[in-house]
Amino acid sequence: MNNIYLLMIIALTVLAIADLVVGVSNDAVNFLNSAIGSKAISFQTIMIVASVGVAVGAIFSSGLMEVARKGIFQPEQFVFHEIMIIFMAVMITDILLLDFFNTLGMPTSTTVSIVFELLGAAVAMALIKITNQSDDYDTLLQYINTSKATEIIIGIILSVVVAFSVGALVQWVSRLLLSYNFNEKARWVGAVFGGIALTAITYFIFVKGIKGTAYASTIVDVKASLTLKEFLEINVLPIVAISLVAWSVISFLVMSLLKTNIYKLIIVVGTFALALAFAGNDLVNFIGVPIAGWQSYDKFMLDAGANASDIEVAARGFKMDFLDKTVETPTLFLVIAGLIMVVTLWFSSKAKAVVKTSIDLSSQEQTKERFKPNFLSRGFVRMSIGISQGIVAITPKSWQEKIDKQFAVPAVSTYKNKEDIPAFDMVRAAVNLMVASVLISIATSMKLPLSTTYVTFMVAMGTSLADRAWGAESAVYRVAGVLNVIGGWFFTAIVAFLAAGLIALLLNLNLPIMLGALLALAAFLLIRNYISHNKKAKEAKVEDSLKKAESSSVQGVIHESASNIANVLKRGNRIYTSAINGLAKQDLQMLKKNRKNISKLSNEIDELRDNIFYFIKNLDETSVGASNFYINILGYLQDITQSLEYISTASLKHVNNNHRKLKFSQIKELKQVDEALEILFNNTKQAFDSRSFEEIGSVLTNKEEIFQLVRQKIQTQVERTRTEESSPKNTTLYFSLLLETKDLLKATMDLLEEYHTAHDSSVEPAKITKDKNSDQEE
């Protein structure tokens, strides 16, 4: 027991490192989404700029970890033993909560999570003390800083509404003035925009980035005894005015002399600024509690623990008044934290998943929507449409035409692949960074609590709405996504409060046993989530994944599609066989897994169909016929998957509902059909794999045999039903499987005939080989 507090310090250190990793994975969205979404600069450059910002911000970070010392609870009301339980409960909860959101790919607030974890753990410990001392529960307010929690809740609501509204307004005005042809505007227009944006961002660096650092308290005016922080707060207008003029001139010179796009410069500086502020100020959310725990232990051992005969007794009597005072954090700790954050930024796949959520929700282009619409999103969209129609009705037609012209999105024909297209342009990226910087600067100077995650995310959503990125085809999904993220923020606060309180309660029951059990549980959950996330990432990159067509000629499309057809036939064969085997064995787990496999295949084909627009745009004028061929091929592949999906679903439903097992004779007949299909699929797959397209003709000449087999089984079941069959469910299922198998065969044969016809009329078999040098003929 004498070493339990030292073990807790070691555990807090390990948890701090892990929390830095999951925290950076979550908060990377704050400063990466604008640069990545606009593709203004290369991904490597973005990461270098962000890494420098994070490293500088961490090294010059605040040594004042007030939120973990006295921001939420009154430290003088607790003893060392209770403080250590509070800190341990907070860290265990924080790492699990953030990792949960990262695994989902949802951005949440590390500020809100740490605040409500401290609040929950402190409340739990306060209630335990009150109960043990038989005090009135009204005395709870003596232990807790309730005003801070109230400010945070108000800050959540205000940051959501204000950031969204201001972002939408500024983006609408910016687009109205600059349009999408911003590069064609006069240089002075870009210079003024650059001056405004860079002024906002640099002032943000001063106000938010420097606030709380060691430099903030540096005396810059000896006569007036003004610190740097006070000087910046007093001289807001002069600093802004001088910066505006200076940056406007610099922007004009950059555009004129260096021939550099000013919007790229804004994005680079803005990314650096937000990364700097993130590391410089949000670092407390990750290491503030462990640092406070280490300093508490150091103070306890120095004043009481070292000479105590019983450390536990001493710990239960040692008051924590010293946490009310300012204590500097060693620079070495900040440097180590900065290095961990930079490494995480480069290598965390979860960080990329969180960023992707934000970018997809603000994308100007059609993306694969991951959120399902709900009654709230439908209601908001209908209301917005009504308001929009009302505004249009009272706006003069000539004005409306001019506005629509400014918001007209240019064609995307210059991009070869859908992946190459920016989610939004550089104007919106610059506005995102500028508005977020201004709002955070204002709130910081007014000492208002807010979350950088909330501000940056909601600004991005507001600019998306104003930029008409949420069109009729995507609005209901995007709004649902935003509502899901906002709901997750409040969910964070509630769960953080309750979970930290529960863990504090468990630790208080038996500290040694519960500490080991909870740390083991946390390690298990983190490892399981890591393995699960990696498994999903690998599944997304499996060799079986279908590839988008990129060729601009019929010959190239024939060659590229061959791989997809072989892929679908191989997986389709496996899915059909699994459905029949699952029915035969009444294996519910096999059928459920089979259902997931066909859903994945169906989604991949849907993605190929979604890419048709970009495929057609890429065709040369002499090869437009390739579009008809490719569209028909995708249509047949979709018909094949729909038949397989029905067969898989019907089999699963039958077994899941515990219906009577199919008769042995029925299973035997289905196996015969499955064997015939397997021969067909294998022969066809071999033809496409080897590019021996002449073999397709021989497969087609034998198609009548397998059709006849299926018709024969249907007739046998008709006779069986009239004489001996007694189960309506079995009869329905059996007929459904055979009829859907006929549809599956028809779609397969139609695909082969389409391919055979196109191949014969376009290229000789010998001219297409698996050689990479001839895989595309432009």
Side-chain angles (χ1 to χ4, degrees):
M1 182 65 190
N2 286 346
N3 295 322
I4 188 64
Y5 299 114
L6 178 59
L7 291 175
M8 291 176 79
I9 293 301
I10 295 172
L12 283 174
T13 303
V14 175
L15 289 173
I17 295 172
D19 206 34
L20 278 170
V21 173
V22 296
V24 173
S25 298
N26 176 82
D27 280 7
V29 67
N30 297 345
F31 50 89
L32 291 181
N33 61 350
S34 293
I36 292 176
S38 65
K39 298 189 187 298
I41 51 180
S42 68
F43 181 76
Q44 186 175 14
T45 304
I46 294 170
M47 295 301 289
I48 291 172
V49 170
S51 298
V52 173
V54 167
V56 173
I59 293 171
F60 295 101
S61 179
S62 169
L64 314 177
M65 306 293 182
E66 288 94 345
V67 68
R69 302 182 195 282
K70 57 185 179 181
I72 303 303
F73 56 87
Q74 309 296 348
E76 67 275 5
Q77 298 292 332
F78 296 95
V79 296
F80 175 68
H81 176 80
E82 296 161 345
I83 285 291
M84 290 302 292
I85 288 178
I86 290 174
F87 288 163
M88 185 58 66
V90 167
M91 291 305 295
I92 292 174
T93 305
D94 195 59
I95 192 171
L96 292 177
L97 189 61
L98 291 181
D99 187 67
F100 170 73
F101 274 93
N102 293 344
T103 303
L104 293 179
M106 299 274 280
T108 190
S109 171
T110 53
T111 302
V112 169
S113 63
I114 203 75
V115 165
F116 279 90
E117 285 153 6
L118 283 166
L119 182 62
V123 166
M125 285 307 304
L127 290 174
I128 291 171
K129 290 193 69 171
I130 290 171
T131 302
N132 291 339
Q133 296 171 5
S134 300
D135 291 340
D136 293 332
Y137 287 101
D138 294 343
T139 59
L140 179 64
L141 297 180
Q142 298 176 11
Y143 296 86
I144 307 300
N145 189 349
T146 54
S147 62
K148 188 68 174 182
T150 304
E151 286 180 2
I152 291 293
I153 295 172
I154 295 173
I156 293 175
I157 299 172
L158 284 178
S159 61
V160 167
V161 176
V162 173
F164 185 86
S165 304
V166 175
L169 178 61
V170 174
Q171 177 61 33
W172 189 85
V173 173
S174 299
R175 186 65 69 196
L176 191 63
L177 296 175
L178 298 172
S179 78
Y180 281 93
N181 299 314
F182 52 90
N183 283 323
E184 299 176 6
K185 298 291 182 180
R187 287 175 181 168
W188 70 267
V189 175
V192 171
F193 184 85
I196 296 172
L198 290 170
T199 297
I201 293 169
T202 51
Y203 186 73
F204 164 78
I205 292 175
F206 284 123
V207 173
K208 183 67 175 174
I210 295 178
K211 174 187 174 289
T213 67
Y215 295 97
S217 56
T218 303
I219 301 295
V220 294
D221 188 337
V222 179
K223 292 182 179 179
S225 298
L226 288 178
T227 63
L228 176 58
K229 178 184 174 184
E230 293 168 341
F231 179 81
L232 291 173
E233 291 173 349
I234 293 173
N235 298 285
V236 174
L237 291 179
I239 292 173
V240 169
I242 294 171
S243 297
L244 181 59
V245 174
W247 277 118
S248 297
V249 172
I250 292 172
S251 298
F252 186 82
L253 294 176
V254 166
M255 296 171 67
S256 302
L257 301 180
L258 302 180
K259 307 297 182 184
T260 301
N261 189 318
I262 193 62
Y263 302 96
K264 290 185 179 181
L265 179 61
I266 295 170
I267 292 168
V268 170
V269 176
T271 300
F272 172 82
L274 287 179
L276 172 75
F278 153 72
N281 294 272
D282 289 356
L283 187 61
V284 64
N285 300 335
F286 313 130
I287 67 170
V289 167
I291 291 294
W294 168 71
Q295 290 171 339
S296 298
Y297 176 79
D298 189 54
K299 179 70 172 176
F300 165 70
M301 292 301 294
L302 184 65
D303 292 357
N307 300 319
S309 57
D310 190 326
I311 289 183
E312 182 186 1
V313 173
R316 292 180 180 274
F318 187 75
K319 290 285 187 178
M320 300 304 295
D321 307 63
F322 94 101
L323 285 179
D324 268 335
K325 302 174 183 177
T326 298
V327 183
E328 291 292 330
T329 300
T331 304
L332 177 62
F333 290 174
L334 300 175
V335 172
I336 294 172
L339 290 174
I340 294 171
M341 294 164 82
V342 170
V343 171
T344 301
L345 196 60
W346 279 89
F347 295 103
S348 173
S349 59
K350 289 187 177 182
K352 296 178 179 65
V354 177
V355 171
K356 186 177 185 302
T357 297
S358 179
I359 291 176
D360 285 349
L361 287 175
S362 57
S363 175
Q364 193 77 37
E365 300 300 322
Q366 295 299 314
T367 61
K368 184 180 179 182
E369 307 292 351
R370 56 172 293 192
F371 297 97
K372 294 182 179 180
N374 51 52
F375 74 97
L376 281 176
S377 67
R378 294 188 185 100
F380 278 123
V381 170
R382 290 192 185 99
M383 182 177 67
S384 299
I385 292 173
I387 294 172
S388 177
Q389 290 173 343
I391 293 173
V392 170
I394 62 175
T395 303
K397 188 175 181 181
S398 59
W399 290 15
Q400 191 62 45
E401 289 176 352
K402 290 180 180 178
I403 293 172
D404 290 340
K405 184 179 179 181
Q406 295 296 91
F407 282 84
V409 182
V412 294
S413 56
T414 55
Y415 295 97
K416 185 174 182 180
N417 301 319
K418 186 177 180 181
E419 289 77 12
D420 296 333
I421 302 173
F424 40 80
D425 70 353
M426 287 184 279
V427 168
R428 176 135 57 103
V431 169
N432 285 345
L433 294 165
M434 174 177 63
V435 174
S437 299
V438 169
L439 291 179
I440 296 172
S441 300
I442 293 173
T444 301
S445 63
M446 296 175 64
K447 297 182 174 57
L448 295 175
L450 54 72
S451 165
T452 53
T453 302
Y454 295 167
V455 172
T456 52
F457 179 83
M458 292 310 299
V459 166
M461 296 304 102
T463 57
S464 304
L465 176 66
D467 226 13
R468 302 184 180 181
W470 297 354
E473 297 179 358
S474 61
V476 70
Y477 304 100
R478 305 282 177 88
V479 174
V482 174
L483 292 175
N484 271 275
V485 173
I486 294 174
W489 295 343
F490 288 96
F491 175 79
T492 300
I494 295 170
V495 172
F497 179 86
L498 295 176
L502 176 61
I503 292 175
L505 179 62
L506 293 174
L507 289 171
N508 186 70
L509 292 176
N510 191 315
L511 185 56
I513 293 176
M514 285 299 176
L515 178 61
L518 289 170
L519 288 175
L521 176 63
F524 168 75
L525 292 176
L526 287 174
I527 293 171
R528 189 189 68 172
N529 285 348
Y530 176 78
I531 294 173
S532 175
H533 179 77
N534 281 353
K535 183 179 178 182
K536 289 179 181 178
K538 288 178 181 178
E539 287 177 354
K541 298 179 181 178
V542 291
E543 293 180 0
D544 281 346
S545 297
L546 304 182
K547 306 294 188 298
K548 298 180 178 69
E550 297 179 354
S551 294
S552 57
S553 66
V554 176
Q555 295 176 9
V557 174
I558 286 175
H559 178 69
E560 289 181 350
S561 298
S563 298
N564 281 344
I565 293 170
N567 190 330
V568 171
L569 293 177
K570 181 181 75 172
R571 295 163 70 180
N573 184 18
R574 191 163 58 226
I575 289 166
Y576 190 91
T577 300
S578 295
I580 302 305
N581 289 341
L583 267 177
K585 299 176 183 178
Q586 296 283 288
D587 191 334
L588 187 60
Q589 294 304 315
M590 179 187 290
L591 292 172
K592 286 182 176 179
K593 183 178 180 181
N594 201 47
R595 182 71 179 82
K596 290 181 180 179
N597 289 335
I598 183 58
S599 295
K600 184 176 184 297
L601 178 59
S602 181
N603 288 336
E604 289 179 28
I605 291 177
D606 285 343
E607 289 180 15
L608 292 183
R609 291 175 67 88
D610 291 341
N611 196 60
I612 285 177
F613 173 82
Y614 306 96
F615 167 72
I616 294 175
K617 284 282 187 182
N618 187 44
L619 290 175
D620 54 50
E621 294 183 2
T622 61
S623 302
V624 177
S627 62
N628 293 327
F629 170 76
Y630 186 57
I631 291 169
N632 289 340
I633 289 297
L634 290 182
Y636 294 133
L637 291 178
Q638 190 171 49
D639 291 342
I640 290 172
T641 55
Q642 285 175 347
S643 295
L644 290 170
E645 196 164 14
Y646 180 87
I647 291 168
S648 179
T649 302
S651 303
L652 173 61
K653 182 179 177 183
H654 187 86
V655 174
N656 200 28
N657 289 337
N658 299 308
H659 293 317
R660 187 182 301 176
K661 186 177 181 180
L662 292 179
K663 292 185 175 181
F664 176 77
S665 57
Q666 292 173 318
I667 294 295
K668 183 179 178 181
E669 291 167 5
L670 287 175
K671 289 275 191 180
Q672 291 172 353
V673 174
D674 179 37
E675 290 171 3
L677 269 176
E678 185 168 3
I679 294 173
L680 169 68
F681 284 159
N682 284 339
N683 290 340
T684 307
K685 177 183 178 297
Q686 184 178 357
F688 283 103
D689 276 340
S690 63
R691 305 302 193 265
S692 303
F693 299 116
E694 64 275 8
E695 294 181 14
I696 296 176
S698 61
V699 173
L700 288 170
T701 56
N702 298 323
K703 71 176 184 179
E704 188 58 33
E705 294 180 13
I706 191 167
F707 274 111
Q708 183 58 36
L709 175 65
V710 176
R711 285 195 289 266
Q712 178 187 337
K713 302 307 179 187
I714 293 174
Q715 183 59 36
T716 301
Q717 179 61 24
V718 170
E719 296 172 0
R720 188 185 296 125
T721 302
R722 292 177 60 83
T723 56
E724 58 185 81
E725 184 63 75
S726 60
S727 172
K729 295 292 184 185
N730 278 13
T731 301
T732 301
L733 175 65
Y734 192 77
F735 278 133
S736 297
L737 295 179
L738 290 177
L739 290 172
E740 204 61 46
T741 300
K742 279 183 64 177
D743 290 344
L744 172 63
L745 285 168
K746 183 178 184 304
T748 304
M749 295 304 174
D750 287 345
L751 183 148
L752 296 181
E753 288 177 355
E754 178 80 26
Y755 211 96
H756 191 248
T757 302
H759 169 258
D760 283 346
S761 62
S762 64
V763 65
E764 293 296 325
K767 290 185 180 179
I768 297 184
T769 68
K770 295 185 74 174
D771 190 299
K772 292 183 179 179
N773 295 327
S774 60
D775 87 309
Q776 289 187 11
E777 295 181 34
E778 298 289 347

